[in-house]
Protein backbone atom coordinates (compact mmCIF):
# COMPACT_ATOMS: atom_id res chain seq x y z
CA UNK A 1 0.00 0.00 0.00
CA UNK A 2 1.47 3.36 -1.04
CA UNK A 3 2.23 6.01 1.54
CA UNK A 4 -0.14 8.97 1.59
CA UNK A 5 1.06 12.58 1.78
CA UNK A 6 -1.50 14.98 3.22
CA UNK A 7 -1.58 18.15 1.11
CA UNK A 8 -4.64 19.94 2.51
CA UNK A 9 -7.05 19.66 5.42
CA UNK A 10 -10.06 21.92 5.89
CA UNK A 11 -12.94 21.80 8.34
CA UNK A 12 -16.10 22.41 6.33
CA UNK A 13 -19.63 22.27 7.76
CA UNK A 14 -19.71 19.28 10.11
CA UNK A 15 -16.89 17.37 8.43
CA UNK A 16 -13.36 17.58 7.05
CA UNK A 17 -12.10 17.97 3.49
CA UNK A 18 -8.72 16.38 2.73
CA UNK A 19 -6.42 16.29 -0.29
CA UNK A 20 -3.73 13.60 -0.59
CA UNK A 21 -0.91 12.62 -2.91
CA UNK A 22 0.56 9.15 -3.34
CA UNK A 23 2.74 7.21 -5.75
CA UNK A 24 0.42 5.04 -7.82
CA UNK A 25 1.85 1.67 -8.79
CA UNK A 26 -1.05 1.16 -11.22
CA UNK A 27 -0.44 4.39 -13.15
CA UNK A 28 3.29 4.68 -12.57
CA UNK A 29 3.15 8.29 -11.43
CA UNK A 30 2.19 10.42 -8.41
CA UNK A 31 -1.56 10.94 -8.10
CA UNK A 32 -3.75 13.22 -6.04
CA UNK A 33 -7.23 12.58 -4.73
CA UNK A 34 -9.63 14.44 -2.47
CA UNK A 35 -11.65 12.95 0.36
CA UNK A 36 -14.49 14.35 2.45
CA UNK A 37 -15.33 12.68 5.75
CA UNK A 38 -18.43 13.59 7.77
CA UNK A 39 -18.33 13.88 11.56
CA UNK A 40 -16.83 10.58 12.76
CA UNK A 41 -18.62 10.74 16.10
CA UNK A 42 -21.99 10.85 14.35
CA UNK A 43 -21.17 8.60 11.39
CA UNK A 44 -18.63 5.92 12.28
CA UNK A 45 -19.01 3.91 9.04
CA UNK A 46 -20.49 6.23 6.40
CA UNK A 47 -21.46 5.15 2.89
CA UNK A 48 -18.93 6.19 0.24
CA UNK A 49 -19.84 8.38 -2.74
CA UNK A 50 -17.40 8.23 -5.66
CA UNK A 51 -17.21 11.29 -7.92
CA UNK A 52 -15.51 11.16 -11.34
CA UNK A 53 -14.83 14.54 -12.94
CA UNK A 54 -14.84 15.47 -16.62
CA UNK A 55 -12.45 16.57 -19.35
CA UNK A 56 -9.70 19.03 -18.31
CA UNK A 57 -10.68 18.73 -14.63
CA UNK A 58 -8.84 17.51 -11.53
CA UNK A 59 -10.09 16.36 -8.14
CA UNK A 60 -10.30 20.03 -7.15
CA UNK A 61 -13.21 20.97 -9.41
CA UNK A 62 -15.88 19.06 -7.53
CA UNK A 63 -14.29 19.79 -4.16
CA UNK A 64 -14.25 23.54 -4.68
CA UNK A 65 -17.27 24.18 -6.94
CA UNK A 66 -20.04 21.70 -6.19
CA UNK A 67 -20.85 22.70 -2.61
CA UNK A 68 -21.56 19.03 -1.93
CA UNK A 69 -19.90 19.03 1.51
CA UNK A 70 -22.88 20.68 3.18
CA UNK A 71 -25.31 17.96 2.12
CA UNK A 72 -22.77 15.18 2.67
CA UNK A 73 -22.14 16.39 6.22
CA UNK A 74 -25.87 16.49 6.95
CA UNK A 75 -26.56 13.10 5.39
CA UNK A 76 -23.45 11.40 6.74
CA UNK A 77 -21.84 10.51 3.41
CA UNK A 78 -18.10 10.22 2.73
CA UNK A 79 -16.97 11.39 -0.73
CA UNK A 80 -13.85 10.44 -2.67
CA UNK A 81 -12.74 12.34 -5.77
CA UNK A 82 -9.85 10.98 -7.89
CA UNK A 83 -8.02 12.95 -10.55
CA UNK A 84 -9.08 12.43 -14.17
CA UNK A 85 -5.86 10.91 -15.55
CA UNK A 86 -2.23 10.13 -14.82
CA UNK A 87 0.09 13.16 -14.93
CA UNK A 88 3.79 13.98 -15.13
CA UNK A 89 6.58 14.82 -17.59
CA UNK A 90 7.14 11.13 -18.37
CA UNK A 91 3.41 10.44 -18.93
CA UNK A 92 2.14 10.50 -22.53
CA UNK A 93 0.18 13.61 -23.43
CA UNK A 94 -1.36 15.43 -26.38
CA UNK A 95 -1.56 19.03 -27.46
CA UNK A 96 -5.30 18.51 -27.84
CA UNK A 97 -7.34 19.46 -24.78
CA UNK A 98 -9.62 16.42 -25.08
CA UNK A 99 -6.90 13.75 -25.13
CA UNK A 100 -4.09 12.77 -22.80
CA UNK A 101 -3.52 14.31 -19.39
CA UNK A 102 -6.86 15.46 -17.98
CA UNK A 103 -8.71 13.13 -20.35
CA UNK A 104 -8.17 9.59 -19.08
CA UNK A 105 -11.73 8.38 -19.86
CA UNK A 106 -11.65 5.93 -16.93
CA UNK A 107 -10.56 2.98 -19.06
CA UNK A 108 -7.49 0.75 -19.38
CA UNK A 109 -5.53 1.77 -22.48
CA UNK A 110 -4.07 -0.96 -24.68
CA UNK A 111 -2.24 1.16 -27.28
CA UNK A 112 1.09 2.96 -27.25
CA UNK A 113 2.15 5.44 -25.98
CA UNK A 114 -0.82 5.38 -23.58
CA UNK A 115 -0.82 1.81 -22.27
CA UNK A 116 1.93 2.13 -19.58
CA UNK A 117 0.09 4.82 -17.60
CA UNK A 118 -3.53 5.21 -18.74
CA UNK A 119 -5.24 2.61 -16.56
CA UNK A 120 -7.74 4.75 -14.70
CA UNK A 121 -10.30 1.95 -14.49
CA UNK A 122 -7.93 -0.30 -12.56
CA UNK A 123 -6.68 2.64 -10.51
CA UNK A 124 -10.19 3.48 -9.30
CA UNK A 125 -11.67 0.01 -8.91
CA UNK A 126 -8.58 -1.57 -7.35
CA UNK A 127 -5.81 0.71 -6.05
CA UNK A 128 -7.77 3.73 -4.84
CA UNK A 129 -10.54 1.45 -3.60
CA UNK A 130 -8.00 -0.42 -1.48
CA UNK A 131 -6.73 2.87 -0.05
CA UNK A 132 -10.28 3.93 0.87
CA UNK A 133 -10.94 0.57 2.50
CA UNK A 134 -7.63 -0.11 4.25
CA UNK A 135 -6.33 3.33 5.16
CA UNK A 136 -9.62 5.12 5.89
CA UNK A 137 -11.76 2.14 6.95
CA UNK A 138 -14.48 3.12 4.48
CA UNK A 139 -16.17 -0.25 4.30
CA UNK A 140 -19.80 0.82 4.03
CA UNK A 141 -22.11 0.85 0.97
CA UNK A 142 -20.84 2.59 -2.18
CA UNK A 143 -22.41 4.78 -4.86
CA UNK A 144 -20.82 6.33 -7.95
CA UNK A 145 -21.45 9.51 -9.91
CA UNK A 146 -19.70 11.87 -12.31
CA UNK A 147 -19.90 14.65 -14.85
CA UNK A 148 -19.48 14.50 -18.65
CA UNK A 149 -16.45 12.24 -19.28
CA UNK A 150 -16.75 11.35 -15.60
CA UNK A 151 -20.43 10.59 -16.10
CA UNK A 152 -19.33 8.12 -18.76
CA UNK A 153 -16.87 6.71 -16.24
CA UNK A 154 -19.52 6.40 -13.52
CA UNK A 155 -21.89 4.55 -15.83
CA UNK A 156 -19.22 2.15 -17.06
CA UNK A 157 -17.62 1.51 -13.67
CA UNK A 158 -21.02 1.11 -12.05
CA UNK A 159 -22.45 -1.26 -14.66
CA UNK A 160 -19.28 -3.37 -14.69
CA UNK A 161 -19.33 -3.60 -10.88
CA UNK A 162 -23.03 -3.83 -10.15
CA UNK A 163 -22.54 -6.13 -7.16
CA UNK A 164 -20.44 -3.43 -5.53
CA UNK A 165 -22.29 -0.18 -6.22
CA UNK A 166 -25.84 0.30 -4.99
CA UNK A 167 -26.71 3.04 -7.50
CA UNK A 168 -25.30 5.30 -10.21
CA UNK A 169 -25.92 8.93 -11.06
CA UNK A 170 -24.47 11.34 -13.58
CA UNK A 171 -24.58 14.91 -14.81
CA UNK A 172 -24.49 15.37 -18.59
CA UNK A 173 -22.71 12.05 -19.20
CA UNK A 174 -21.24 10.81 -22.47
CA UNK A 175 -23.51 7.76 -22.74
CA UNK A 176 -22.49 6.33 -26.15
CA UNK A 177 -18.82 7.34 -26.62
CA UNK A 178 -18.18 4.97 -29.53
CA UNK A 179 -20.63 7.07 -31.59
CA UNK A 180 -19.65 10.67 -30.70
CA UNK A 181 -16.54 12.75 -31.51
CA UNK A 182 -15.01 12.91 -28.01
CA UNK A 183 -15.31 9.18 -27.52
CA UNK A 184 -14.26 8.14 -31.02
CA UNK A 185 -11.08 10.22 -30.72
CA UNK A 186 -10.21 8.86 -27.27
CA UNK A 187 -11.09 5.24 -28.04
CA UNK A 188 -9.06 5.24 -31.26
CA UNK A 189 -6.05 6.55 -29.34
CA UNK A 190 -6.33 4.48 -26.17
CA UNK A 191 -7.90 1.25 -27.49
CA UNK A 192 -6.97 1.13 -31.17
CA UNK A 193 -9.09 0.76 -34.28
CA UNK A 194 -10.84 -2.51 -33.35
CA UNK A 195 -14.28 -1.19 -32.45
CA UNK A 196 -15.23 -4.47 -30.80
CA UNK A 197 -12.86 -3.47 -27.96
CA UNK A 198 -14.77 -0.23 -27.53
CA UNK A 199 -18.00 -1.93 -26.49
CA UNK A 200 -16.88 -2.74 -22.94
CA UNK A 201 -16.21 0.97 -22.31
CA UNK A 202 -19.48 2.26 -23.77
CA UNK A 203 -22.48 2.46 -21.41
CA UNK A 204 -25.10 2.15 -24.16
CA UNK A 205 -23.38 -0.92 -25.57
CA UNK A 206 -22.93 -2.45 -22.13
CA UNK A 207 -26.60 -1.99 -21.36
CA UNK A 208 -27.72 -3.60 -24.64
CA UNK A 209 -26.26 -6.93 -23.52
CA UNK A 210 -26.56 -6.41 -19.77
CA UNK A 211 -27.54 -9.38 -17.63
CA UNK A 212 -26.29 -8.23 -14.22
CA UNK A 213 -27.98 -6.76 -11.20
CA UNK A 214 -30.22 -3.82 -12.09
CA UNK A 215 -28.94 -0.92 -10.02
CA UNK A 216 -30.91 2.35 -10.38
CA UNK A 217 -29.47 5.19 -12.46
CA UNK A 218 -30.29 8.91 -12.28
CA UNK A 219 -29.12 11.34 -14.98
CA UNK A 220 -29.52 15.12 -14.98
CA UNK A 221 -29.05 16.86 -18.32
CA UNK A 222 -29.38 20.59 -18.95
CA UNK A 223 -31.29 21.59 -22.07
CA UNK A 224 -28.97 24.60 -22.53
CA UNK A 225 -25.87 22.39 -22.54
CA UNK A 226 -23.88 23.21 -25.69
CA UNK A 227 -22.58 19.62 -25.86
CA UNK A 228 -26.00 17.99 -25.46
CA UNK A 229 -26.88 17.11 -29.05
CA UNK A 230 -23.43 16.34 -30.50
CA UNK A 231 -21.53 14.67 -27.65
CA UNK A 232 -23.90 13.54 -24.87
CA UNK A 233 -27.21 12.28 -26.29
CA UNK A 234 -28.74 10.74 -23.13
CA UNK A 235 -31.80 9.70 -25.14
CA UNK A 236 -29.70 6.90 -26.65
CA UNK A 237 -29.16 5.33 -23.24
CA UNK A 238 -32.77 5.97 -22.26
CA UNK A 239 -33.97 4.08 -25.35
CA UNK A 240 -31.84 1.05 -24.47
CA UNK A 241 -32.99 1.19 -20.85
CA UNK A 242 -36.64 1.26 -21.90
CA UNK A 243 -36.13 -1.76 -24.15
CA UNK A 244 -34.33 -3.65 -21.36
CA UNK A 245 -36.77 -2.50 -18.64
CA UNK A 246 -33.80 -1.06 -16.80
CA UNK A 247 -34.37 1.44 -13.93
CA UNK A 248 -33.01 4.64 -15.52
CA UNK A 249 -34.35 8.15 -14.95
CA UNK A 250 -33.26 11.04 -17.20
CA UNK A 251 -34.28 14.49 -15.97
CA UNK A 252 -34.02 17.40 -18.40
CA UNK A 253 -33.25 20.56 -16.48
CA UNK A 254 -34.57 23.71 -18.14
CA UNK A 255 -32.01 26.45 -18.76
CA UNK A 256 -29.10 24.53 -17.25
CA UNK A 257 -25.76 24.20 -19.04
CA UNK A 258 -22.63 22.00 -18.79
CA UNK A 259 -21.06 23.90 -15.91
CA UNK A 260 -20.64 23.25 -12.20
CA UNK A 261 -23.56 25.61 -11.57
CA UNK A 262 -25.77 22.75 -12.72
CA UNK A 263 -23.96 20.26 -10.50
CA UNK A 264 -24.23 22.59 -7.51
CA UNK A 265 -27.96 22.96 -8.18
CA UNK A 266 -28.75 19.25 -8.00
CA UNK A 267 -25.93 17.48 -6.13
CA UNK A 268 -27.95 17.33 -2.91
CA UNK A 269 -30.74 15.57 -4.75
CA UNK A 270 -28.24 13.09 -6.14
CA UNK A 271 -26.88 12.26 -2.70
CA UNK A 272 -30.43 11.83 -1.43
CA UNK A 273 -31.23 9.61 -4.43
CA UNK A 274 -28.35 7.30 -3.58
CA UNK A 275 -29.34 7.05 0.06
CA UNK A 276 -32.96 6.38 -0.88
CA UNK A 277 -31.89 3.48 -3.11
CA UNK A 278 -29.83 2.09 -0.27
CA UNK A 279 -32.81 2.32 2.07
CA UNK A 280 -34.99 0.53 -0.49
CA UNK A 281 -32.54 -2.38 -0.58
CA UNK A 282 -32.35 -2.87 3.17
Amino acid sequence: MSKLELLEEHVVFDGTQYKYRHDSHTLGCPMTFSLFLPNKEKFSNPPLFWWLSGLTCTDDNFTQKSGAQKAAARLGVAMIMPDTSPRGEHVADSEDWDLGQGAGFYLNATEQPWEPHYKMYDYITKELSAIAHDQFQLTGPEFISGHSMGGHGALVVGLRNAERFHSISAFAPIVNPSQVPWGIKAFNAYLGSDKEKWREWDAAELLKNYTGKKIPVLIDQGDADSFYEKQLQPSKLAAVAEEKNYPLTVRMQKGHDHSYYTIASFIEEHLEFHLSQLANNQ
Side-chain angles (χ1 to χ4, degrees):
M1 185 67 65
S2 59
K3 182 179 179 180
L4 301 182
E5 178 187 1
L6 179 62
L7 301 178
E8 295 183 28
E9 179 177 354
H10 309 282
V11 172
V12 53
F13 298 106
D14 193 19
T16 308
Q17 179 70 58
Y18 301 94
K19 183 180 178 73
Y20 290 95
R21 179 167 52 214
H22 71 113
D23 291 326
S24 168
H25 60 81
T26 301
L27 304 180
C29 66
M31 290 293 289
T32 61
F33 68 90
S34 293
L35 176 70
F36 173 81
L37 295 177
N39 187 317
K40 294 180 181 179
E41 294 182 1
K42 294 181 180 178
F43 307 101
S44 59
N45 190 28
L48 180 60
F49 174 82
W50 288 80
W51 174 266
L52 307 183
S53 290
L55 287 165
T56 74
C57 293
T58 70
D59 52 305
D60 289 333
N61 292 76
F62 182 81
T63 302
Q64 297 175 3
K65 295 181 178 181
S66 72
Q69 293 92 341
K70 183 176 183 179
R74 176 178 64 83
L75 297 169
V77 176
M79 303 188 296
I80 191 165
M81 293 72 77
D83 200 351
T84 53
S85 77
R87 299 180 192 269
E89 292 184 3
H90 66 295
V91 174
D93 200 6
S94 169
E95 293 182 356
D96 297 337
W97 67 273
D98 53 356
L99 186 68
Q101 295 185 32
F105 268 82
Y106 305 100
L107 48 71
N108 291 335
T110 58
E111 302 300 302
Q112 298 301 324
W114 314 101
E115 186 273 336
H117 300 286
Y118 283 74
K119 299 175 181 176
M120 286 298 294
Y121 178 82
D122 279 355
Y123 172 70
I124 289 166
T125 60
K126 297 178 181 179
E127 185 174 5
L128 191 55
S129 293
I131 289 173
H133 185 281
D134 297 338
Q135 299 204 33
F136 296 100
Q137 291 74 55
L138 293 168
T139 59
E142 295 178 276
F143 327 114
I144 192 163
S145 185
H147 173 231
S148 194
M149 176 188 72
H152 143 76
L155 290 166
V156 170
V157 172
L159 289 171
R160 290 180 58 162
N161 297 272
E163 296 305 318
R164 172 177 170 181
F165 295 100
H166 288 261
S167 48
I168 305 167
S169 71
F171 291 83
I174 307 170
V175 304
N176 195 192
S178 63
Q179 302 299 317
V180 300
W182 279 343
I184 292 170
K185 181 177 182 177
F187 284 10
N188 263 309
Y190 298 143
L191 303 172
S193 59
D194 182 359
K195 294 185 178 181
E196 195 62 31
K197 295 181 181 178
W198 297 9
R199 296 171 66 88
E200 62 182 306
W201 306 106
D202 185 309
E205 294 298 322
L206 284 172
L207 200 58
K208 285 178 183 178
N209 301 300
Y210 189 76
T211 59
K213 178 183 176 183
K214 292 184 176 180
I215 55 175
V217 179
L218 171 66
I219 291 174
D220 272 327
Q221 172 65 61
D223 67 1
D225 188 328
S226 60
F227 302 116
Y228 168 45
E229 293 186 1
K230 186 176 183 180
Q231 304 281 11
L232 307 176
Q233 304 176 0
S235 60
K236 288 187 174 181
L237 189 65
V240 178
E242 183 176 4
E243 182 179 335
K244 299 282 289 187
N245 193 29
Y246 192 93
L248 167 71
T249 300
V250 177
R251 306 191 307 187
M252 294 301 300
Q253 302 294 356
K254 183 175 177 57
H256 280 274
D257 57 21
H258 201 69
S259 73
Y260 264 80
Y261 291 110
T262 300
I263 296 168
S265 298
F266 301 105
I267 190 61
E268 183 172 8
E269 293 180 20
H270 279 236
L271 291 172
E272 291 174 339
F273 160 77
H274 289 292
L275 289 179
S276 69
Q277 300 308 315
L278 178 60
N280 290 340
N281 292 330
Q282 290 179 342

